[in-house]
Amino acid sequence: MGGRGRGRGNAVSFNIEQLGFGRGEAGPVSVTQPPPLFPSLENRPLPLIKDVENEYILVTQKDLSTRMRNSPFYLKPSENTSYEKELPVLWNRMPAELRETLPKRLATGNSKVTLNAKKKKVEDPDKIFAKLEKKERTESEVEEDGDGKEDEDDQDKSDDEKVEMEDDVVEDDDPEMDDETDYANNYFENGEAYLDDEDGQDDGEAQF
Amino acid sequence: MEKLSAKSDHIYLGEAIVKKALAVMIQHNLVKFQASERNNNVAEYTMIHHNVYCLIRYPKYLYMIKRIYGTSEEILLEILLNLGQASASNVIFHSANRLNEANDSEVLSPSALHQSFQRLAQDNFIIRCPKLAENATLLKVPTLEIEEKEKFAVPNVEIEPIARMLKEKATQLGGHCDSEIIWRVNHERFDIELRNVILVNAAARRVDTTAGELYHLILKLWRESSNPDSPVTTPVSYNVIKDAVRKNDSSPILLEHFDHYLRVLYEDSAGLIDRAGDAGGGQFNLDYSKVFENLACASLDSIVLERFGSKALRLFRLTRIQKFMEQDQMQNVAMIPAKEAKMFTYKLLEHNFLQIKELKKGTSNFAPVKSFILYHVELPQVVRTTLEASYKGLFNAMVRQMHDLTENQRLLEKHAMLESMLERLKGDGVPDEEIAELSDTMPPAEKSLVEKIHLMSDNLTLGQTQADETILILESYLKFKSKEL
């Protein structure tokens, strides 16, 4: 509140008349209950336009949404993991990571790396035979087809090939990577910076 | 931009669902991907906001195509919208199937549909998706590229395999020659078309329907000659317009009074046509920013009118036209009693339709500081606020509709099943008494409830469509305003 008797002019910055009350009228009424959930609607909105175009739009909208709901694109939370054949998506234009076979293999390979290392020795001979056999089969079939397009019969074999490439390639998902930083690895410094230039590196830590 | 692993962490739905969902969204042009910079084997995904918003406009697209061309093009577009991205043969195949289901006679052959497809591509309503780069199959994240001239080129489509498949009543078209050439709906072109519809309707309302026809023709001429991104069209001369009117099968009234109509349109203050020069009998162009400013103002005016009343509208228009006004000036010029004027001014201010600018008039140090309070309408700000409110209204309508439908889902499904059973029985020729008995299994109270739900859902859809029109006008205004700066 301006002007508490300091100095001569105890005028306030606004003019009472300008606000719209006179001197004698009371101020706004005090509120005794919580305000209503929605403000009251003073003017009703205009009615909706219903002409030929809008009728057509209504019918088409319903039609389109029913078709979409019934189409295979409408994903329901099912446990079905073999979706690559059912979903009419153009798979050869999508990133490889969206295709389905990866999660099964990586899920077992990701955790417990040490156990796998031991297991691999036992499995290896069998795996190698299986891989070789499949490679022979796929090579002959690929020659017949002529181009590398996905065919539903070849799907399993080509998926296996991709998985083999996966095993050779460095793992993409580093389990210790949180939010794209190597914070976990950098938190504890390994002391190599100890004998570097120490100008201005004193963070205020006491040195004893 | 997010990596797949980041997404899976955020959404606890399970990795398979996330992958499926991403694949479906990419297929429908809602999400795009590119290889991450750090690691070429991982993709980063971005959402294409505009396309997601345009989902609500699909029925409008279909209506426009139906009006401009006809049923076969409409069905082609509908199939393309359902599939997201598809090759020409696939679209033609499915459309032929759909048309055959609708009429039992094979009315359209695939070659006719192929021609319809070409027409759509020529007018740029559908566009080709970028194709796989050469070594793309070896990469984990395929790169997609396309050249400018290939964007609308329709490949040769082999009709015989399609016709054969149709005869065999196959449900899927197998491998075909143009399966690597993928098409999708061209949203930008449809936006331009929607805007043109608004302008033509404005011309028709302002003058009359023949003027609307004339304006439609002139718009076509402008579109053919100008760059779609520029805020002002290239001028078109009077003689060219006259030729076009004569060539086109216009109504006789237009041919007779063509001069008058043109004059009325360009003298009108809405700015639908601007006279840009005198060469060739008169040069005419269109300034999009001016036209859309007028349209946006008209929309705001009607919003103020409906919410606050005509007196408030008078104050609003006055302030908008006069730029800066004082309170006293406003009530004098608008001829509204003082107290009401103050009340409406305050209401408009509260809802952000008016803005205040204070100018201090400090003279001596002892006298109390007087300041001028000026009211003005800052149009971009008001438009942005109204746009937000429109989005909110649209969202509310959608949420309410979803809520109603899911709450009563069981009832609606039961009703739908009953209806389909009744249809089937009627078709089989079952006597009327049995049909009446069957329809009585659902009590009339439930039937009337179902009616009510359908009615409410329809009204909400209509409301959404109309909100979308306002949104289009306001968004166009903001877009052209930012271009001119």
Side-chain angles (χ1 to χ4, degrees), chain B residues 32-102:
Chain B
K32 61 181 185 215
F33 63 87
Q34 68 189 65
S36 152
E37 283 155 0
R38 264 171 286 166
N39 180 356
N40 267 3
N41 295 329
V42 173
E44 283 187 344
Y45 303 90
T46 337
M47 178 160 265
I48 310 177
H49 302 106
H50 183 65
N51 290 1
V52 177
Y53 180 78
C54 284
L55 283 172
I56 204 182
R57 291 183 180 161
Y58 283 0
K60 280 197 194 155
Y61 293 175
L62 289 172
Y63 184 71
M64 283 195 296
I65 293 289
K66 190 186 181 104
R67 248 194 10 191
I68 300 177
Y69 301 102
T71 331
S72 52
E73 285 84 357
E74 181 202 348
I75 299 282
L76 283 172
L77 191 73
E78 192 179 337
I79 299 283
L80 191 55
L81 287 173
N82 280 340
L83 292 174
Q85 295 175 0
S87 66
S89 310
N90 225 347
V91 173
I92 294 177
F93 173 73
H94 284 292
S95 314
N97 260 342
R98 177 84 70 85
L99 282 167
N100 289 343
E101 275 172 39

Coordinates of all heavy atoms in Angstrom, one line a residue, chain B residues 32-102:
Chain B
K32 N 9.5 -40.7 -38.4 CA 10.5 -41.0 -39.4 C 11.8 -41.3 -38.6 O 11.9 -41.0 -37.4 CB 10.8 -39.8 -40.3 CG 11.2 -38.5 -39.6 CD 11.3 -37.4 -40.6 CE 11.9 -36.2 -39.9 NZ 11.5 -35.0 -40.3
F33 N 12.7 -42.0 -39.3 CA 13.9 -42.4 -38.6 C 15.2 -42.0 -39.4 O 15.1 -41.8 -40.6 CB 13.9 -43.9 -38.4 CG 13.9 -44.7 -39.7 CD1 15.1 -45.0 -40.3 CD2 12.7 -45.1 -40.2 CE1 15.1 -45.8 -41.5 CE2 12.7 -45.8 -41.4 CZ 13.9 -46.2 -42.0
Q34 N 16.3 -41.9 -38.8 CA 17.6 -41.8 -39.5 C 18.6 -42.4 -38.6 O 18.5 -42.5 -37.4 CB 17.9 -40.4 -39.8 CG 18.2 -39.5 -38.6 CD 18.3 -38.1 -39.0 OE1 17.3 -37.5 -39.4 NE2 19.5 -37.5 -38.8
A35 N 19.7 -42.8 -39.2 CA 20.8 -43.4 -38.5 C 21.4 -42.4 -37.5 O 21.6 -41.3 -37.8 CB 21.9 -44.0 -39.4
S36 N 21.6 -42.9 -36.3 CA 22.2 -42.1 -35.3 C 23.6 -41.7 -35.7 O 24.3 -42.4 -36.3 CB 22.2 -42.8 -34.0 OG 23.2 -42.4 -33.1
E37 N 24.1 -40.5 -35.2 CA 25.4 -40.0 -35.7 C 26.5 -40.8 -35.1 O 27.5 -41.0 -35.7 CB 25.6 -38.6 -35.3 CG 24.8 -37.6 -36.2 CD 24.5 -36.3 -35.5 OE1 24.9 -36.2 -34.3 OE2 23.9 -35.5 -36.1
R38 N 26.3 -41.2 -33.8 CA 27.4 -41.9 -33.2 C 27.5 -43.3 -33.6 O 28.6 -43.9 -33.6 CB 27.1 -41.8 -31.6 CG 27.8 -40.7 -31.0 CD 27.4 -40.5 -29.6 NE 26.1 -39.9 -29.6 CZ 25.4 -39.9 -28.5 NH1 25.8 -40.4 -27.4 NH2 24.2 -39.4 -28.4
N39 N 26.4 -44.0 -33.8 CA 26.5 -45.4 -34.1 C 25.6 -45.7 -35.3 O 24.3 -45.6 -35.2 CB 25.9 -46.1 -32.8 CG 26.0 -47.6 -33.0 OD1 26.3 -48.1 -34.0 ND2 25.6 -48.3 -31.9
N40 N 26.2 -46.1 -36.4 CA 25.4 -46.3 -37.6 C 24.3 -47.4 -37.5 O 23.5 -47.5 -38.4 CB 26.3 -46.5 -38.8 CG 26.6 -45.2 -39.4 OD1 26.2 -44.2 -39.0 ND2 27.3 -45.3 -40.5
N41 N 24.5 -48.3 -36.5 CA 23.6 -49.4 -36.5 C 22.3 -49.1 -35.8 O 21.4 -49.9 -35.7 CB 24.2 -50.6 -35.9 CG 25.4 -51.0 -36.7 OD1 25.4 -50.9 -37.9 ND2 26.4 -51.6 -36.1
V42 N 22.2 -47.9 -35.2 CA 21.1 -47.6 -34.3 C 20.3 -46.5 -35.0 O 20.9 -45.6 -35.5 CB 21.5 -47.3 -32.9 CG1 20.4 -46.8 -32.1 CG2 22.1 -48.4 -32.2
A43 N 19.0 -46.5 -34.9 CA 18.2 -45.5 -35.6 C 17.7 -44.5 -34.5 O 17.4 -44.9 -33.4 CB 17.1 -46.1 -36.3
E44 N 17.5 -43.3 -34.9 CA 16.8 -42.3 -34.0 C 15.5 -42.0 -34.6 O 15.4 -41.7 -35.8 CB 17.7 -41.1 -33.8 CG 18.9 -41.4 -32.9 CD 19.6 -40.1 -32.5 OE1 19.5 -39.1 -33.3 OE2 20.4 -40.1 -31.6
Y45 N 14.5 -41.9 -33.8 CA 13.1 -41.7 -34.3 C 12.6 -40.3 -34.0 O 12.8 -39.9 -32.9 CB 12.2 -42.8 -33.7 CG 12.7 -44.2 -34.0 CD1 13.6 -44.8 -33.1 CD2 12.3 -44.8 -35.2 CE1 14.0 -46.1 -33.4 CE2 12.8 -46.1 -35.4 CZ 13.6 -46.7 -34.6 OH 14.1 -48.0 -34.8
T46 N 12.0 -39.7 -35.0 CA 11.3 -38.4 -34.7 C 9.9 -38.5 -35.1 O 9.5 -39.1 -36.1 CB 12.0 -37.3 -35.6 OG1 13.3 -37.7 -36.0 CG2 12.0 -36.0 -34.9
M47 N 9.0 -37.7 -34.4 CA 7.6 -37.7 -34.7 C 7.4 -36.6 -35.7 O 7.9 -35.5 -35.5 CB 6.9 -37.5 -33.4 CG 5.4 -37.5 -33.6 SD 4.6 -37.8 -32.1 CE 4.3 -39.5 -32.3
I48 N 6.5 -36.8 -36.7 CA 6.1 -35.8 -37.6 C 4.8 -35.2 -37.1 O 3.7 -35.7 -37.4 CB 6.0 -36.3 -39.0 CG1 7.2 -37.1 -39.4 CG2 5.8 -35.2 -40.0 CD1 7.2 -37.8 -40.7
H49 N 4.9 -34.1 -36.4 CA 3.7 -33.6 -35.7 C 2.5 -33.3 -36.7 O 1.4 -33.6 -36.4 CB 3.9 -32.3 -35.0 CG 5.0 -32.5 -33.9 ND1 6.3 -32.0 -34.1 CD2 5.0 -33.1 -32.8 CE1 7.0 -32.3 -33.0 NE2 6.2 -33.0 -32.2
H50 N 2.9 -32.7 -37.8 CA 1.8 -32.2 -38.7 C 1.0 -33.4 -39.2 O -0.2 -33.3 -39.3 CB 2.5 -31.4 -39.8 CG 1.5 -30.9 -40.8 ND1 0.6 -29.9 -40.4 CD2 1.2 -31.2 -42.1 CE1 -0.2 -29.6 -41.4 NE2 0.2 -30.4 -42.5
N51 N 1.7 -34.5 -39.6 CA 1.0 -35.6 -40.1 C 0.1 -36.2 -39.1 O -1.0 -36.7 -39.4 CB 2.0 -36.7 -40.6 CG 2.7 -36.2 -41.8 OD1 2.5 -35.1 -42.3 ND2 3.6 -37.0 -42.4
V52 N 0.5 -36.2 -37.8 CA -0.3 -36.8 -36.8 C -1.6 -36.0 -36.7 O -2.7 -36.5 -36.6 CB 0.4 -36.9 -35.4 CG1 -0.5 -37.4 -34.3 CG2 1.6 -37.7 -35.5
Y53 N -1.4 -34.6 -36.7 CA -2.6 -33.8 -36.6 C -3.5 -34.0 -37.8 O -4.7 -34.0 -37.7 CB -2.2 -32.3 -36.6 CG -3.4 -31.4 -36.5 CD1 -4.1 -31.3 -35.3 CD2 -3.9 -30.8 -37.6 CE1 -5.2 -30.5 -35.2 CE2 -5.1 -30.1 -37.5 CZ -5.7 -29.9 -36.3 OH -6.8 -29.2 -36.2
C54 N -2.9 -34.2 -39.0 CA -3.8 -34.4 -40.2 C -4.6 -35.6 -40.2 O -5.5 -35.8 -41.1 CB -2.9 -34.3 -41.5 SG -2.3 -32.7 -41.8
L55 N -4.4 -36.5 -39.2 CA -5.2 -37.7 -39.2 C -6.7 -37.3 -39.1 O -7.6 -38.0 -39.6 CB -4.9 -38.6 -38.0 CG -3.6 -39.4 -38.1 CD1 -3.3 -40.0 -36.7 CD2 -3.8 -40.5 -39.1
I56 N -7.0 -36.2 -38.4 CA -8.4 -35.8 -38.2 C -9.0 -35.3 -39.5 O -10.2 -35.2 -39.7 CB -8.5 -34.8 -37.1 CG1 -9.8 -34.8 -36.5 CG2 -8.2 -33.4 -37.6 CD1 -10.1 -33.8 -35.5
R57 N -8.1 -34.9 -40.5 CA -8.6 -34.4 -41.7 C -8.9 -35.4 -42.8 O -9.3 -35.0 -43.9 CB -7.6 -33.3 -42.3 CG -7.5 -32.1 -41.4 CD -6.6 -31.1 -41.9 NE -6.5 -30.0 -41.1 CZ -5.6 -29.1 -41.0 NH1 -4.6 -29.2 -41.9 NH2 -5.6 -28.1 -40.2
Y58 N -8.6 -36.7 -42.6 CA -8.8 -37.7 -43.6 C -10.1 -37.6 -44.3 O -10.2 -37.7 -45.5 CB -8.4 -39.1 -43.1 CG -7.0 -39.4 -43.0 CD1 -6.0 -38.4 -43.3 CD2 -6.5 -40.6 -42.5 CE1 -4.7 -38.7 -43.2 CE2 -5.2 -40.9 -42.4 CZ -4.2 -39.9 -42.7 OH -2.9 -40.2 -42.6
P59 N -11.2 -37.6 -43.5 CA -12.5 -37.6 -44.2 C -12.7 -36.3 -45.1 O -13.3 -36.4 -46.2 CB -13.5 -37.5 -43.1 CG -12.9 -37.9 -41.9 CD -11.4 -37.6 -42.0
K60 N -12.1 -35.2 -44.7 CA -12.1 -34.0 -45.6 C -11.4 -34.3 -46.9 O -11.9 -33.9 -48.0 CB -11.5 -32.8 -44.9 CG -12.4 -32.2 -43.9 CD -12.0 -30.8 -43.6 CE -12.7 -30.4 -42.3 NZ -12.1 -29.4 -41.6
Y61 N -10.2 -34.9 -46.8 CA -9.5 -35.2 -48.0 C -10.4 -36.1 -49.0 O -10.4 -35.8 -50.2 CB -8.2 -36.1 -47.7 CG -7.1 -35.4 -46.9 CD1 -6.0 -36.1 -46.5 CD2 -7.2 -34.1 -46.6 CE1 -5.0 -35.5 -45.8 CE2 -6.2 -33.5 -45.9 CZ -5.1 -34.2 -45.5 OH -4.1 -33.6 -44.8
L62 N -11.0 -37.1 -48.4 CA -11.8 -37.9 -49.2 C -13.0 -37.2 -49.9 O -13.3 -37.4 -51.0 CB -12.4 -39.1 -48.4 CG -11.3 -40.1 -48.0 CD1 -11.9 -41.1 -47.0 CD2 -10.8 -40.8 -49.2
Y63 N -13.6 -36.3 -49.1 CA -14.7 -35.5 -49.7 C -14.2 -34.6 -50.8 O -14.8 -34.5 -51.9 CB -15.3 -34.6 -48.6 CG -16.5 -33.8 -49.1 CD1 -17.7 -34.5 -49.3 CD2 -16.4 -32.5 -49.3 CE1 -18.8 -33.8 -49.8 CE2 -17.5 -31.8 -49.7 CZ -18.7 -32.4 -50.0 OH -19.8 -31.7 -50.4
M64 N -13.0 -34.0 -50.7 CA -12.5 -33.1 -51.7 C -12.2 -33.9 -53.0 O -12.5 -33.5 -54.1 CB -11.2 -32.5 -51.2 CG -11.5 -31.3 -50.3 SD -10.1 -30.3 -50.1 CE -9.0 -31.3 -49.3
I65 N -11.6 -35.1 -52.8 CA -11.2 -35.9 -54.0 C -12.5 -36.4 -54.6 O -12.6 -36.4 -55.9 CB -10.4 -37.1 -53.5 CG1 -9.0 -36.6 -53.1 CG2 -10.2 -38.1 -54.6 CD1 -8.1 -36.1 -54.2
K66 N -13.5 -36.7 -53.8 CA -14.7 -37.2 -54.4 C -15.4 -36.1 -55.3 O -15.9 -36.3 -56.4 CB -15.7 -37.6 -53.3 CG -16.9 -38.3 -53.9 CD -17.9 -38.6 -52.8 CE -19.1 -39.3 -53.3 NZ -19.1 -40.7 -53.0
R67 N -15.3 -34.8 -54.8 CA -15.9 -33.7 -55.5 C -15.1 -33.4 -56.7 O -15.7 -33.0 -57.7 CB -16.0 -32.5 -54.6 CG -17.4 -32.2 -54.3 CD -17.6 -30.9 -53.7 NE -16.5 -30.1 -53.7 CZ -16.4 -29.0 -53.0 NH1 -17.4 -28.6 -52.3 NH2 -15.3 -28.3 -53.1
I68 N -13.8 -33.4 -56.6 CA -13.0 -33.0 -57.8 C -13.0 -34.1 -58.8 O -13.1 -33.8 -60.0 CB -11.5 -32.7 -57.3 CG1 -11.5 -31.6 -56.3 CG2 -10.7 -32.3 -58.5 CD1 -10.1 -31.4 -55.8
Y69 N -12.8 -35.3 -58.5 CA -12.7 -36.4 -59.5 C -13.9 -37.3 -59.5 O -14.8 -37.1 -60.3 CB -11.5 -37.2 -59.2 CG -10.2 -36.4 -59.3 CD1 -9.5 -36.1 -58.1 CD2 -9.6 -36.1 -60.5 CE1 -8.4 -35.4 -58.1 CE2 -8.4 -35.4 -60.5 CZ -7.8 -35.0 -59.3 OH -6.7 -34.3 -59.4
G70 N -14.0 -38.2 -58.6 CA -15.1 -39.2 -58.6 C -14.8 -40.3 -57.7 O -13.9 -40.4 -56.9
T71 N -15.7 -41.4 -57.8 CA -15.6 -42.5 -56.8 C -14.4 -43.3 -56.9 O -13.8 -43.7 -55.9 CB -16.8 -43.4 -57.1 OG1 -17.9 -42.7 -57.6 CG2 -17.2 -44.1 -55.8
S72 N -13.9 -43.6 -58.1 CA -12.7 -44.5 -58.2 C -11.5 -43.8 -57.5 O -10.8 -44.5 -56.8 CB -12.4 -44.9 -59.6 OG -12.3 -43.8 -60.5
E73 N -11.3 -42.5 -57.8 CA -10.2 -41.8 -57.1 C -10.4 -41.8 -55.6 O -9.4 -41.9 -54.9 CB -10.0 -40.4 -57.6 CG -9.4 -40.3 -59.0 CD -10.5 -40.4 -60.1 OE1 -11.7 -40.7 -59.7 OE2 -10.2 -40.3 -61.3
E74 N -11.6 -41.7 -55.2 CA -11.9 -41.6 -53.8 C -11.5 -43.0 -53.1 O -10.9 -43.0 -52.1 CB -13.4 -41.4 -53.6 CG -13.8 -41.3 -52.1 CD -15.3 -41.6 -52.0 OE1 -16.0 -41.6 -53.0 OE2 -15.7 -41.8 -50.8
I75 N -11.9 -44.1 -53.8 CA -11.6 -45.4 -53.2 C -10.0 -45.6 -53.2 O -9.5 -46.1 -52.3 CB -12.2 -46.5 -54.0 CG1 -13.7 -46.3 -54.0 CG2 -11.8 -47.8 -53.5 CD1 -14.4 -46.8 -52.7
L76 N -9.4 -45.1 -54.3 CA -7.9 -45.3 -54.3 C -7.3 -44.6 -53.1 O -6.4 -45.1 -52.4 CB -7.3 -44.7 -55.6 CG -7.5 -45.5 -56.9 CD1 -7.1 -44.7 -58.1 CD2 -6.7 -46.7 -56.8
L77 N -7.8 -43.3 -52.9 CA -7.2 -42.6 -51.8 C -7.5 -43.2 -50.5 O -6.7 -43.3 -49.6 CB -7.7 -41.2 -51.8 CG -7.0 -40.3 -50.8 CD1 -5.6 -40.0 -51.4 CD2 -7.7 -39.0 -50.6
E78 N -8.7 -43.8 -50.3 CA -9.1 -44.4 -49.1 C -8.2 -45.6 -48.8 O -7.7 -45.8 -47.7 CB -10.5 -44.8 -49.1 CG -11.0 -45.2 -47.7 CD -12.5 -45.6 -47.7 OE1 -13.2 -45.2 -48.6 OE2 -12.9 -46.3 -46.8
I79 N -7.9 -46.4 -49.8 CA -7.1 -47.6 -49.6 C -5.7 -47.1 -49.2 O -5.0 -47.7 -48.3 CB -7.0 -48.4 -50.9 CG1 -8.4 -48.9 -51.3 CG2 -6.1 -49.5 -50.8 CD1 -8.9 -50.0 -50.5
L80 N -5.2 -46.0 -49.9 CA -3.8 -45.6 -49.6 C -3.8 -45.1 -48.1 O -2.8 -45.3 -47.4 CB -3.4 -44.5 -50.6 CG -2.0 -44.1 -50.5 CD1 -1.1 -45.3 -50.7 CD2 -1.7 -43.1 -51.6
L81 N -4.8 -44.4 -47.7 CA -4.9 -43.9 -46.3 C -4.9 -45.1 -45.3 O -4.2 -45.1 -44.3 CB -6.1 -43.1 -46.1 CG -6.1 -41.7 -46.7 CD1 -7.4 -41.0 -46.5 CD2 -5.0 -40.8 -46.1
N82 N -5.6 -46.2 -45.7 CA -5.6 -47.3 -44.8 C -4.3 -48.0 -44.7 O -3.9 -48.5 -43.7 CB -6.7 -48.3 -45.3 CG -8.1 -47.9 -44.8 OD1 -8.2 -47.1 -43.9 ND2 -9.1 -48.4 -45.5
L83 N -3.6 -48.1 -45.9 CA -2.3 -48.9 -45.9 C -1.1 -48.0 -45.4 O -0.1 -48.6 -45.0 CB -2.0 -49.4 -47.3 CG -3.0 -50.5 -47.8 CD1 -2.7 -50.8 -49.3 CD2 -2.8 -51.7 -47.0
G84 N -1.3 -46.7 -45.5 CA -0.1 -45.9 -45.1 C 0.8 -45.6 -46.3 O 0.8 -44.6 -46.9
Q85 N 1.6 -46.7 -46.6 CA 2.5 -46.6 -47.7 C 2.3 -47.8 -48.6 O 2.3 -48.9 -48.0 CB 3.9 -46.5 -47.3 CG 4.4 -45.3 -46.5 CD 5.8 -45.5 -46.1 OE1 6.5 -46.5 -46.4 NE2 6.3 -44.5 -45.4
A86 N 2.1 -47.7 -49.8 CA 1.9 -48.9 -50.6 C 2.3 -48.6 -52.1 O 2.4 -47.5 -52.5 CB 0.4 -49.3 -50.6
S87 N 2.5 -49.7 -52.8 CA 2.9 -49.6 -54.2 C 1.6 -49.4 -55.0 O 0.5 -49.7 -54.6 CB 3.6 -50.8 -54.7 OG 2.7 -51.9 -54.7
A88 N 1.8 -48.9 -56.2 CA 0.6 -48.6 -57.1 C -0.2 -49.8 -57.3 O -1.5 -49.8 -57.2 CB 1.1 -47.9 -58.4
S89 N 0.4 -50.9 -57.7 CA -0.3 -52.1 -58.0 C -1.2 -52.6 -56.8 O -2.3 -53.0 -57.0 CB 0.6 -53.3 -58.4 OG 1.5 -52.8 -59.3
N90 N -0.5 -52.5 -55.6 CA -1.3 -52.9 -54.4 C -2.5 -52.1 -54.2 O -3.6 -52.6 -54.0 CB -0.4 -52.7 -53.2 CG -0.4 -53.9 -52.3 OD1 -1.3 -54.8 -52.4 ND2 0.5 -54.0 -51.4
V91 N -2.4 -50.8 -54.4 CA -3.5 -49.9 -54.2 C -4.6 -50.2 -55.2 O -5.8 -50.3 -54.9 CB -3.1 -48.4 -54.3 CG1 -4.3 -47.5 -54.3 CG2 -2.1 -48.1 -53.2
I92 N -4.2 -50.4 -56.5 CA -5.2 -50.7 -57.5 C -5.9 -52.0 -57.2 O -7.1 -52.1 -57.4 CB -4.5 -50.7 -58.9 CG1 -4.0 -49.3 -59.2 CG2 -5.4 -51.1 -59.9 CD1 -3.2 -49.2 -60.5
F93 N -5.1 -53.0 -56.8 CA -5.7 -54.3 -56.5 C -6.7 -54.2 -55.4 O -7.9 -54.7 -55.6 CB -4.5 -55.2 -56.1 CG -5.0 -56.6 -55.6 CD1 -5.5 -57.5 -56.5 CD2 -5.0 -56.9 -54.3 CE1 -6.0 -58.7 -56.1 CE2 -5.4 -58.1 -53.9 CZ -5.9 -59.1 -54.8
H94 N -6.4 -53.6 -54.3 CA -7.3 -53.5 -53.2 C -8.5 -52.7 -53.5 O -9.6 -53.0 -53.1 CB -6.6 -53.0 -52.0 CG -5.7 -54.0 -51.3 ND1 -6.2 -55.1 -50.6 CD2 -4.4 -54.0 -51.1 CE1 -5.2 -55.8 -50.1 NE2 -4.1 -55.1 -50.4
S95 N -8.3 -51.6 -54.3 CA -9.5 -50.8 -54.7 C -10.4 -51.5 -55.5 O -11.7 -51.4 -55.4 CB -9.0 -49.5 -55.5 OG -7.9 -49.0 -54.9
A96 N -9.9 -52.3 -56.5 CA -10.8 -53.1 -57.4 C -11.6 -54.1 -56.5 O -12.8 -54.2 -56.7 CB -10.0 -53.8 -58.4
N97 N -10.9 -54.7 -55.5 CA -11.6 -55.6 -54.6 C -12.7 -54.9 -53.9 O -13.9 -55.4 -53.8 CB -10.7 -56.2 -53.6 CG -10.2 -57.6 -54.0 OD1 -10.8 -58.2 -54.8 ND2 -9.1 -58.0 -53.4
R98 N -12.4 -53.7 -53.4 CA -13.4 -53.0 -52.6 C -14.6 -52.6 -53.5 O -15.8 -52.7 -53.1 CB -12.8 -51.7 -52.0 CG -13.7 -50.8 -51.2 CD -13.8 -51.3 -49.8 NE -12.6 -51.1 -49.1 CZ -12.3 -50.0 -48.5 NH1 -13.1 -49.0 -48.6 NH2 -11.2 -49.9 -47.8
L99 N -14.3 -52.1 -54.7 CA -15.4 -51.7 -55.6 C -16.3 -52.9 -55.9 O -17.5 -52.8 -56.1 CB -14.9 -51.1 -56.8 CG -14.4 -49.6 -56.6 CD1 -13.6 -49.1 -57.8 CD2 -15.6 -48.8 -56.4
N100 N -15.6 -54.1 -56.1 CA -16.4 -55.3 -56.5 C -17.3 -55.7 -55.3 O -18.4 -56.2 -55.5 CB -15.5 -56.4 -56.9 CG -14.8 -56.1 -58.2 OD1 -15.3 -55.3 -58.9 ND2 -13.7 -56.9 -58.5
E101 N -16.8 -55.5 -54.1 CA -17.6 -55.8 -53.0 C -18.9 -54.9 -52.9 O -20.0 -55.4 -52.6 CB -16.9 -55.6 -51.7 CG -16.0 -56.8 -51.2 CD -15.2 -56.3 -50.0 OE1 -15.7 -55.6 -49.2 OE2 -14.0 -56.7 -50.0
A102 N -18.6 -53.7 -53.2 CA -19.7 -52.7 -53.1 C -20.8 -53.0 -54.1 O -22.0 -53.1 -53.8 CB -19.2 -51.3 -53.2

